Amino acid sequence: MILTLDDFCKSLRKVRKSKKLSLRDVERLSDGKWKAIVIGSYERGDRQLSVKKLLELAEFYGAPVAELLGVRVEPTEQSVVNKIQELIEFATKKKEGQ
């Protein structure tokens, strides 16, 4: 799969909208760290996004970098087993009242 700039820009916008955030919401919720005009520029491809900023934006959105890039990552068998184990532990703790 070849990632195009257009695909990347659409993915950035898709992630933000999936969080139900406007550009102004991003600026407000980030206490001005992420300016609406800058995020809009990234989403239009008018401005370059460094790897450092990409990582920070992924953290802000609470999304994997792959999602911002528009790359679909298939879960490995082990990651599925790990997630099931986490759910079992969570359910056990909740049942025990912790």
Side-chain angles (χ1 to χ4, degrees), residues 26-40:
V26 171
E27 185 168 341
R28 182 178 47 80
L29 292 172
S30 70
D31 294 324
K33 177 179 180 177
W34 298 103
K35 302 291 185 202
I37 195 163
V38 172
I39 297 298

Side-chain angles (χ1 to χ4, degrees), residues 1 3 7-12 14-15 64-73:
M1 174 185 154
L3 181 67
D7 293 335
F8 173 65
C9 295
K10 286 178 183 176
S11 294
L12 284 177
K14 182 179 177 184
V15 170
V65 172
E67 187 176 348
L68 270 68
L69 294 172
V71 177
R72 181 174 167 85
V73 179

Side-chain angles (χ1 to χ4, degrees), residues 73-87:
V73 179
E74 296 295 329
T76 63
E77 208 173 292
Q78 186 59 49
S79 68
V80 172
V81 170
N82 291 345
K83 183 54 83 176
I84 291 170
Q85 185 61 38
E86 288 173 20
L87 291 170

Side-chain angles (χ1 to χ4, degrees), residues 84-96:
I84 291 170
Q85 185 61 38
E86 288 173 20
L87 291 170
I88 291 169
E89 289 172 8
F90 175 78
T92 303
K93 288 178 183 177
K94 187 166 181 119
K95 187 176 180 182
E96 294 172 355

Side-chain angles (χ1 to χ4, degrees), residues 5-59:
L5 178 61
D6 188 52
D7 293 335
F8 173 65
C9 295
K10 286 178 183 176
S11 294
L12 284 177
R13 182 173 286 123
K14 182 179 177 184
V15 170
R16 176 179 55 80
K17 290 189 172 204
S18 75
K19 307 290 182 186
K20 297 183 178 22
L21 296 173
S22 69
L23 293 171
R24 287 190 183 115
D25 291 336
V26 171
E27 185 168 341
R28 182 178 47 80
L29 292 172
S30 70
D31 294 324
K33 177 179 180 177
W34 298 103
K35 302 291 185 202
I37 195 163
V38 172
I39 297 298
S41 294
Y42 292 150
E43 291 178 358
R44 289 188 305 278
D46 295 337
R47 188 173 183 148
Q48 291 183 353
L49 181 63
S50 70
V51 172
K52 181 179 183 232
K53 292 286 186 186
L54 177 64
L55 294 170
E56 291 172 359
L57 191 57
E59 183 178 347

